[in-house]
Amino acid sequence: MSSSLFDLLWMAARRRVLVLLGATIALSPPPAAAGDFHHWVQFAAEGLQARAVTKSGACPKAAIDGRETAMTARAQADDLFPVTICTLDIPKGAKSAAIDGRPLALPPPRPNKILVVGDTGCRLKGLFLQDCNSPGSWPFPLVADVAAKLAPDLVVHVGDYYYRESACPLLRQGCAGSPHGDNWASWEADFFDPAGALLHSAPWVFVRGNHETCERGGRGWTRALDPHPFPADGRCPPQDRPFAVDLGGPTLVVLDVTTAEDRVANLEQAQFFKTQLSTAGAIPGPVWYAFHKPIFSSIRISGKETVGDNKTLAEAARDGLPANVEAILSGHLHAFQAASYVEDYPAQFVVGNGGDTLDPYTPAKFDGLVINGLTVERGRSTAPIFGFATFERGDGEWLVTDYDVQGKPLLRCHLRGRKVECE
Ligand SMILES: [Fe+2]
């Protein structure tokens, strides 16, 4: 990204907002300069990987435990993505790694602080418009900067990165100059530039959202973030396979549920997702699922119907989920929610408040709400407030905290097994 007048104004705006918010944190370094590159570490299906995006055509130099090694090109440049995506497998037990001399954040053997963020892009779609140039309207750059200062051991993005689908209307200053379409410029503006400090702070797990289906942001997803190898034919895979990340208890199992129909139970899909949701049964020890669409969550009631729950996944989970699944991390609903149920079912967390327009009618407390046959025992949300959440390992429990964009804690909950209690 070049240092244009726009960039300077944008950085000034970020600085001013942080001061106004009373934040005492230091600012993140500026986005990568022209000719520079983005880099990060992610858990992929085949293990830990470093990735880099470069405009130079050649992958940057890397080193593992001080020994020089070569990154390989995952995806070559083309018209829409004039960048090379590079990758490097990081072996288990590696003590250090670097790209072009810049140290990479490797995971501890047992992550104790997991930061969750989701639904982060700036919406430009038809009449649904955010002011991408205004931190008040689209705060993801601030969310990412503040989240990075909490020094997480791991970041989980629960999906929906790409939102700039249509052009900013002429004369609308709030989004003037924004790119649009599933191309590198949009992905850089929606995710890689604003996420910079957080991308460097810890390794990531990327969950696919419905904005990353092949019909929407699938090109960018497949090239840059997909945890699976880049397909030989370069085509976007409509369905990603599950993969697991060992967190030293629990195991995080990542599923792609992006196509699951929300409002009507699609029986053919339900049969497929029933098999996917049984994945955890073969894994010893406790499991958390991470997938984009929550099953039994709701942002409002329309008539007698709950809105926000997923009727297809509910059909798939009708006979329950494997007994070792304790929690589900999702996004999709633009709110923070924590819920556990009267029935023996995993706790559900929703962290979809990272940047896109919030869902305004989510109830703060929804104990007793019946969602598609399941009764909420404890249900809390903090919508409509932008932010992110942390999951911190405690003694026999996880402390879950929802933060606003200033890094101020809004709600604390305790996850014990499948049960949630909020303060
Ligand atoms: Fe979504």
Side-chain angles (χ1 to χ4, degrees):
M1 192 175 176
S2 61
S3 294
S4 63
L5 179 61
F6 174 76
D7 296 330
L8 296 172
L9 289 170
W10 173 232
M11 287 306 294
R14 283 172 82 170
R15 187 174 293 114
R16 195 161 55 245
V17 167
L18 280 171
V19 169
L20 283 172
L21 291 173
T24 55
I25 53 173
L27 280 167
S28 61
D36 212 335
F37 56 90
H38 300 272
H39 63 85
W40 65 95
V41 174
Q42 73 179 85
F43 282 95
E46 289 161 0
L48 197 65
Q49 288 184 344
R51 291 195 186 173
V53 181
T54 175
K55 292 169 184 166
S56 80
C59 288
K61 286 180 183 163
I64 295 176
D65 290 333
R67 272 192 210 159
E68 218 171 87
T69 182
M71 298 195 86
T72 55
R74 169 182 165 86
Q76 300 287 355
D78 67 11
D79 289 348
L80 292 172
F81 286 82
V83 289
T84 306
I85 317 283
C86 307
T87 187
L88 174 69
D89 290 338
I90 299 177
K92 261 190 176 167
K95 299 271 188 299
S96 69
I99 295 180
D100 207 25
R102 302 174 199 189
L104 301 178
L106 300 185
R110 202 165 188 241
N112 288 326
K113 187 194 280 185
I114 301 168
L115 192 141
V116 183
V117 65
D119 302 78
T120 50
C122 181
R123 187 174 294 262
L124 294 181
K125 186 171 186 179
L127 296 174
F128 297 99
L129 301 165
Q130 279 177 282
D131 290 339
C132 307
N133 302 335
S134 159
S137 175
W138 180 58
F140 178 52
L142 295 171
V143 166
D145 280 354
V146 171
K149 302 301 173 197
L150 296 188
D153 295 327
L154 176 74
V155 179
V156 178
H157 193 301
V158 287
D160 283 0
Y161 313 76
Y162 161 77
Y163 278 83
R164 300 180 193 225
E165 299 182 72
S166 55
C168 177
L170 205 63
L171 303 181
R172 184 168 171 126
Q173 289 304 310
C175 53
S178 173
H180 69 281
D182 185 7
N183 54 51
W184 172 245
S186 295
W187 273 86
E188 190 172 42
D190 251 352
F191 183 68
F192 288 97
D193 269 349
L198 194 55
L199 268 180
H200 299 160
S201 73
W204 283 58
V205 171
F206 296 107
V207 176
R208 188 178 191 175
N210 57 304
H211 284 244
E212 288 78 52
T213 58
C214 295
E215 296 75 30
R216 297 177 91 176
R219 269 196 296 258
W221 168 258
T222 309
R223 285 175 167 268
L225 299 183
D226 193 315
H228 299 282
F230 190 65
D233 61 6
R235 296 176 73 169
C236 168
Q239 174 72 46
D240 279 338
R241 297 184 307 283
F243 75 103
V245 179
D246 181 5
L247 302 180
T251 300
L252 188 69
V253 175
V254 181
L255 302 181
D256 172 5
V257 302
T258 54
T259 58
E261 220 168 292
D262 287 314
R263 296 189 181 186
V264 182
N266 178 320
L267 298 182
E268 195 179 324
Q269 283 190 334
Q271 197 55 39
F272 171 78
F273 286 117
K274 187 174 182 178
T275 309
Q276 298 273 303
L277 288 169
S278 70
T279 305
I283 295 173
V287 163
W288 291 358
Y289 275 139
F291 52 76
H292 181 64
K293 295 180 171 181
I295 307 183
F296 296 102
S297 287
S298 179
I299 43 169
R300 65 176 186 276
I301 296 172
S302 174
K304 289 184 177 174
E305 281 275 293
T306 49
V307 177
D309 53 313
N310 189 285
K311 306 287 194 284
T312 298
L313 295 175
E315 183 64 28
R318 180 182 290 277
D319 299 330
L321 295 181
N324 59 337
V325 182
E326 295 183 343
I328 301 170
L329 313 183
S330 304
H332 196 48
L333 313 182
H334 297 169
F336 172 84
Q337 287 195 327
S340 58
Y341 304 88
V342 171
E343 294 81 2
D344 189 17
Y345 189 82
Q348 173 76 64
F349 295 91
V350 174
V351 192
N353 54 348
D356 186 54
T357 310
L358 296 166
D359 289 317
Y361 305 114
T362 310
K365 185 175 175 184
F366 48 101
D367 296 359
L369 180 66
V370 178
I371 303 175
N372 200 5
L374 223 61
T375 305
V376 175
E377 189 172 45
R378 294 279 183 272
R380 296 287 183 278
S381 62
T382 54
I385 301 174
F386 288 114
F388 58 92
T390 57
F391 288 64
E392 292 173 274
R393 195 186 295 272
D395 186 11
E397 67 167 30
W398 287 79
L399 174 64
V400 183
T401 310
D402 177 43
Y403 292 89
D404 70 7
V405 295
Q406 304 172 53
K408 179 181 155 201
L410 300 174
L411 180 66
R412 283 201 174 93
C413 303
H414 302 264
L415 170 67
R416 300 182 190 98
R418 289 182 157 186
K419 293 298 179 187
V420 171
E421 287 284 349
C422 297
E423 292 170 2

